[in-house]
Amino acid sequence: METNLKLYMVLLGCTPKGRLTEQHDIFFGIGRSIEELIPDMYTFWADGGRLHIDAWREITQVDNYTINITAKTTEAKNEKLFFINMGGYKPNDFEEYHYKKLVIAQTMGEAVKKVKTSTFYKHYGFKGAVSHIDDKYALDADDLHHVQDILLPHLQELYTIKITPTTAIIEDELHIGYLKLSDNPNK
């Protein structure tokens, strides 16, 4: 089994054909480096546009848990890693703001409860335009995902996200800024 594999969260950007503005999406990948993930990023985006990275993070810790990648196992896990995309608004501002959050929880409901206490959720909304989590469970939510389930299929088959409690608190480094990617290596 490969060693030194890491879980990455990447904010991809692209202006697809026929669109007026740049579009964004979050990609989760597993590899030894961010560069190693480029073919999977193009597979994920799928429309053939020219991609770039606006931000990325190697996920090593979330809350009081360390995150590691291990060979796929069938052992039951209580804690799960969730990705939540919250949307919100400011009065007189023609924009929807988003805040991306990683949460460790046993269930989606528990994850939602945790993010509803966040500063973003409380301050990016007003009467008629409330903050929301983009979700599919009768909550006002857009995107709520168990990260293991949204990895590309070949990664889901090989790897498991291992979540271990820790007392050490380490902030993952955020790499922010435009990073041009090479041409689609999948063509």
Side-chain angles (χ1 to χ4, degrees), residues 124-180:
Y124 279 80
F126 55 95
K127 187 176 180 177
V130 296
S131 300
H132 57 281
I133 304 162
D134 301 335
D135 171 43
K136 51 190 173 259
Y137 290 90
L139 300 166
D140 189 12
D142 291 336
D143 300 304
L144 172 63
H145 303 281
H146 176 210
V147 174
Q148 182 74 39
D149 295 341
I150 58 173
L151 292 169
L152 290 177
H154 72 277
L155 297 174
Q156 288 183 41
E157 292 172 13
L158 294 173
Y159 306 114
T160 296
I161 299 171
K162 183 179 178 186
I163 301 168
T164 309
T166 186
T167 56
I169 304 298
I170 300 169
E171 295 269 335
D172 289 340
E173 182 179 0
L174 300 180
H175 303 267
I176 300 172
Y178 186 92
L179 176 61
K180 183 178 174 182

Side-chain angles (χ1 to χ4, degrees), residues 1-6 31-32:
M1 172 48 89
E2 296 180 57
T3 59
N4 300 320
L5 291 173
K6 304 164 189 169
R32 290 180 297 278

